[in-house]
Amino acid sequence: MARYCPLFSGSSGNCTYIGTASGGILIDAGVSARRLEKALRARNIDPASIAAVFVTHEHGDHIAGLEVFAGRYCCAVFGSAGTLGALPQSLSRTVLTPKTDGYETRLAGYDCEGVEAAGMWVTAFETPHDARQSTGYIIRTSDGRRIGVATDIGQITDLIRSELRGCDLVHIESNHDLPLLNAGPYPYFLKKRILADTGHLSNSACARELENFAKTGTARFVLSHLSRENNTPELAYAAASSAMKAAGLTERLDYQLWVAAPEDRTGVIVF
């Protein structure tokens, strides 16, 4: 049985909890340790039960609380060689252990066999983002559940499609609504960065992929990393829901769909 919760999602901070009866892991730690602790305890999750933090990339909204949280609870910290090498020097001294360094070497080519944490098996795959060496993750529970996490991605690559295919739950970016972004106040250079193949995934680009994932076995989708300025939960949900309906799929019958808020209040999804 898997327990999943997007604790925080968006440009102000990201952190996702995944756990089993054996304990849990975090994907990113992008808000303060105090906020992470509060969010976990609000869901009856003991912060001390977190065995490891898996970092997707080094941007601040993914590592802001990493140093304090990992240091306080003696969590292992995993990520690609590029990501770990790009962490601030003070953070690296605090949280990188020999165990982590060993995994770093194997993860560098995105072809590692994986690592065990809290009774789950975690592997990484390459993602297209303007970071040193960003990754997505596949988490496998002991009873065969598979959870795929792919966020901060400028495009859906064939590799991402292959990795997410057949997952029981897919946590995927739906960052911006194109009309809102184009008409919005962001300067041109920032819009260009967001729209690049190494930027962020739009609602429409995300929605186009969901049909294929649903038809290969995925029954649960969580739309994540929504922009506060260039998106709304309603727009992200509508884009995904419309694409599924056009493909002949019915919500709550063929699939379930959630939208992760900046500070999520959906509780823990158990499946």
Side-chain angles (χ1 to χ4, degrees), residues 7-233:
L7 299 172
F8 300 92
S9 181
S11 55
S12 59
N14 296 273
C15 179
T16 299
Y17 168 83
I18 300 168
T20 66
S22 302
I25 63 172
L26 299 179
I27 307 296
D28 293 325
V31 301
S32 71
R34 180 185 62 80
R35 292 181 67 195
L36 286 177
E37 291 167 342
K38 182 178 179 181
L40 288 166
R41 290 187 175 119
R43 294 158 178 82
N44 297 314
I45 301 167
D46 183 357
S49 71
I50 303 300
V53 182
F54 290 82
V55 184
T56 60
H57 63 291
E58 71 275 11
H59 292 168
D61 58 324
H62 295 260
I63 65 165
L66 180 61
E67 179 173 0
V68 174
F69 188 89
R72 183 172 294 167
Y73 296 103
C74 299
C75 300
V77 175
F78 298 112
S80 69
T83 292
L84 297 181
L87 294 178
Q89 190 174 41
S90 62
L91 194 156
S92 297
R93 286 197 301 267
T94 302
V95 304
L96 297 189
T97 66
K99 178 180 178 182
T100 305
D101 291 340
Y103 181 64
E104 170 189 339
T105 301
R106 288 184 281 128
L107 189 58
Y110 306 108
D111 57 356
C112 69
E113 295 179 0
V115 65
E116 187 276 333
M120 295 173 282
W121 192 250
V122 184
T123 55
F125 57 91
E126 180 181 6
T127 55
H129 193 51
D130 54 359
R132 185 77 64 85
Q133 192 182 20
S134 63
T135 57
Y137 290 102
I138 300 294
I139 301 91
R140 295 170 174 83
T141 65
S142 59
D143 61 352
R145 301 289 189 176
R146 292 177 67 240
I147 298 169
V149 177
T151 184
D152 291 71
I153 48 178
Q155 58 180 311
I156 299 285
T157 62
D158 288 342
L159 175 61
I160 293 175
R161 290 187 185 97
S162 174
E163 292 285 343
L164 297 184
R165 186 175 297 123
C167 283
D168 295 280
L169 184 149
V170 166
H171 172 110
I172 189 168
E173 180 171 56
S174 189
N175 176 258
H176 57 276
D177 173 75
L178 284 169
L180 274 186
L181 176 64
N182 288 328
Y186 277 10
Y188 173 74
F189 78 88
L190 184 53
K191 292 180 180 180
K192 185 177 179 180
R193 173 186 174 260
I194 292 169
L195 292 170
D197 286 346
T198 54
H200 290 278
L201 200 67
S202 69
N203 290 345
S204 56
C206 172
R208 284 195 297 269
E209 299 294 332
L210 299 191
E211 171 193 353
N212 293 329
F213 293 138
K215 289 182 176 179
T216 56
T218 301
R220 302 165 189 86
F221 298 95
V222 179
L223 308 180
S224 68
H225 211 298
L226 274 66
S227 168
R228 286 181 182 270
E229 294 79 13
N230 305 305
N231 209 355
T232 67

